[in-house]
Amino acid sequence: MTQNVARVADPRIAEVFAIARDTLHRRWLTLALVALAVLVAGTAFVMTLPPKYAATTRVRIDPSRNPLATRSADGRAELTTEAIETEVSAIRALPVALEVVQKLGLDNDPEFAGTLKNAGAAARTNTTARQTAIANGVLGHLDVAREKLTYLIDVKFTSSSGQKSAAIADAFASTYIERRLTGKASTAERQSEWFSRRLAELAVETREADQRVAEFRGANGITESSAANSGSGTVLDQQVAPLASSLSLAESEAAGARSALNAAQGQMQRGGIGSVAAVLSSEVVTQLRAQRALVVQNMAEVQARYGDRHPETLRVREQLAGIDAQIQAEARRVVSSLQANAAAAGARAESLKSSLSNIETQRARDARNSVLAESLEREAAAKRAQYDRMSQLSLDSMQAARVSLAPAEIVDNAEPPAGPTSPNRPLLLVLTLIVALAAGTVTIAVQEALSGGLTSVEDIEREYGLPVVAAVPKVGKTENPADLMLDEPTSFYAEALRIGRAAVMGVRAGSAPQVVALTSALPAEGKSTTALAFARTLAIAGSKTILVECDVRRAVMQNMTRSPRPKVGIVEVLHGDASVDEAIMTGDVPNLDVLLQPTRFFSSENLFGEHAMDALMRDLRGRYEHIVLDLPPLLGLADGRFLAILADATIVVVKWNDTSRGAVSSAINFLRTDGSRPVGIMLSMVDPASASAGALNYYSNKYSDYYQNYRS
């Protein structure tokens, strides 16, 4: 499978190289001119670049002396990447550059005076503004960078003088160190003064914080231990547990009493007060009921003995009523007792709940006061810690003010370079050459993309469905291509027309078309020249041939042939003003006659669409073996379409790498729609060295021994 893919890909790669070679051959002059122009301009620019000298001073940063340093796990001072980049920016700071300018007097140096042109009028009249503008210009020549992951910083300065570049690089390094040292001492002194003022303020704030803590504790009765423990273990806490237990018991008893009372009230509603369980279980009620039972028994005997109205019976009844009254009174007392018990239990529970709530409120207030006390204590402690820290910083600052050690040092002073470091002219010249070739290549590529012409036989045949019958090479501008048939009969051009004749007429004369029309999509495609050469080719091959010029609006054929100038032409014949014999003239090769148009003819009439042209063609068919018609272009003119349907075969002449695809497509569609018989495409003015013609590349160098080469 891999081998098959390679076989398919190889021809495509070859086609790409062939297209590139053809494009280069056609447009080599454009490539050469563009590349030469860019090369000359680039070379001139490179050669005029002034030499530059770069000198480098190396500075080492000491982390132990840098205020931006941090401490590692083992206690060593370290600088982060951000801290080192801060030092790099400090070296490139404008104040450092201003000091260097003032030290070395660079504001009068011609090399940097050019920066004043864009600095405004103030830089020319004000010394400070002038030095600032010069300093900005000097910074444009400065390059400061860290060496990999070390604490070394390279201070490189580029100038037109090696001595100057070294001096300025050293000046930047030394000025940076001096400013850092001076700034460090000045900063330490200012810090010391600020620390002293701040310490006095903190002392007052610390005393005030301690006083607020003491006053708050005294006002709220908070001791240090209770504040520290947040109120745990106090008398209030000891009272909470018993009260909570008593409240739980009281609430349980109150609930039981309310339940008994509710039950009694329900029983009274259903069966009266005598049905209440508490009443029934009362000993007094039980005794009274026993007495009542005896009285009821006695009353029954008395009634039976004495009757209802006897005094004894009345007495017993009164006794029974008295016992019932006692039972009712006792029942009411029992129910009242239940009500009293329920009310007492509820009141006791509410009392305990109120007491517990008061204790909880007091505990919450004490807790808040304790928290506030702790907050005040922490604030006071923070003030004391801040005072201690500030005191230590003040001590360190005073020590730093007395120490004069620089946070950086120069490791290597800059040395004047032996030769210029830039520009690298050999490299720039090579790059200029590459850019020049690239510019030329891009130019011809754009020209090729914008041309839109046809160059490949395979593309033409695949797109239009017509074979390419011949590829006629381009000849010199001062020569008439059709005359090569006479002057150079063995040239590439003549052989191309013979190949076209073989393709259209075939190798057997019996099947050849008699009337062959040559047309094109647009003017100036070499159609008339090709028609004349094609007619000469047929005549030279021994066929009696006539060339009929139908492109009467141009009438250029008389200037191409070597025949005498005609007096009448096809227009006069079609109008009936002259006979065919009067218009036909002998051509410039044996077996060739021509019917030309002496003058240009313009008319809105349908000259070729009437029966006169049909009659003329019938007459000529009877006289000649082959008739070659030179038709007008098909796009923009109607004459060619009327004439093409009279031909047995129509050849479309296409200018190689010039005629647009759309124009060719429209012309061929016209012929097919009208019922004409297009048999092929003939490429005109093909580059002789191009390989785009594929199999028709008979004029390539491989065939140089077969032809007498025509040299334009």
Side-chain angles (χ1 to χ4, degrees), residues 189-209:
E189 291 177 359
R190 291 194 301 271
Q191 287 178 346
S192 178
E193 295 176 358
W194 181 84
F195 283 142
S196 298
R197 292 194 303 270
R198 185 59 180 155
L199 280 173
E201 295 173 357
L202 285 176
V204 175
E205 293 176 1
T206 302
R207 286 194 299 271
E208 291 177 351

Side-chain angles (χ1 to χ4, degrees), residues 19 98 150 248 268 315 368 399 583 629 653 669 678:
I19 293 173
L98 276 172
T150 66
S248 176
M268 288 172 63
R315 185 187 64 81
R368 286 194 298 272
Q399 292 177 349
L629 302 180
V653 178
N669 288 337

Side-chain angles (χ1 to χ4, degrees), residues 561-684:
T561 66
R562 299 178 181 180
S563 303
R565 189 177 186 86
K567 296 181 180 180
V568 295
I570 189 173
V571 174
E572 288 76 15
V573 173
L574 294 178
H575 284 165
D577 298 333
S579 64
V580 177
D581 295 328
E582 290 176 339
I584 293 176
M585 300 177 60
T586 303
D588 46 18
V589 297
N591 298 321
L592 178 62
D593 290 340
V594 294
L595 177 54
L596 309 180
Q597 177 62 26
T599 59
R600 301 174 70 181
F601 176 78
F602 297 92
S603 175
S604 60
E605 64 178 303
N606 189 5
L607 181 64
F608 300 106
E610 302 297 336
H611 298 293
M613 188 62 189
D614 294 336
L616 175 61
M617 292 302 299
R618 286 194 296 270
D619 187 4
L620 295 179
R621 282 178 181 270
R623 297 187 185 195
Y624 297 95
E625 295 181 59
H626 297 296
I627 303 169
V628 178
L629 302 180
D630 177 25
L631 305 186
L634 294 175
L635 301 185
L637 297 173
D639 294 344
R641 299 177 65 175
F642 286 111
L643 292 167
I645 61 175
L646 302 177
D648 300 328
T650 301
I651 300 174
V652 180
V653 178
V654 176
K655 186 176 180 180
W656 181 80
N657 197 32
D658 186 88
T659 310
S660 67
R661 298 175 181 269
V664 176
S665 178
S666 297
I668 294 175
N669 288 337
F670 285 162
L671 294 175
R672 288 172 173 166
T673 302
D674 296 338
S676 302
R677 291 172 286 279
V679 297
I681 294 174
M682 185 175 292
L683 293 174
S684 65

Side-chain angles (χ1 to χ4, degrees), residues 472 480-483 485 493 497 516-537 546-561 588 592 594-597 628-634 637 651-655 682-685:
V472 181
N480 185 351
D483 288 345
M485 300 297 302
Y493 186 91
L497 269 299
V516 179
L518 282 84
T519 185
S520 62
L522 302 171
E525 297 196 51
K527 174 259 306 174
S528 297
T529 302
T530 304
L532 176 58
F534 189 75
R536 285 173 176 172
T537 302
I546 183 172
L547 172 63
V548 181
E549 184 180 18
C550 300
D551 194 358
V552 297
R553 300 195 188 194
R554 294 184 65 221
V556 298
M557 194 69 73
Q558 58 183 332
N559 299 324
M560 298 180 184
T561 66
D588 46 18
L592 178 62
V594 294
L595 177 54
L596 309 180
Q597 177 62 26
V628 178
L629 302 180
D630 177 25
L631 305 186
L634 294 175
L637 297 173
I651 300 174
V652 180
V653 178
V654 176
K655 186 176 180 180
M682 185 175 292
L683 293 174
S684 65
M685 292 178 267

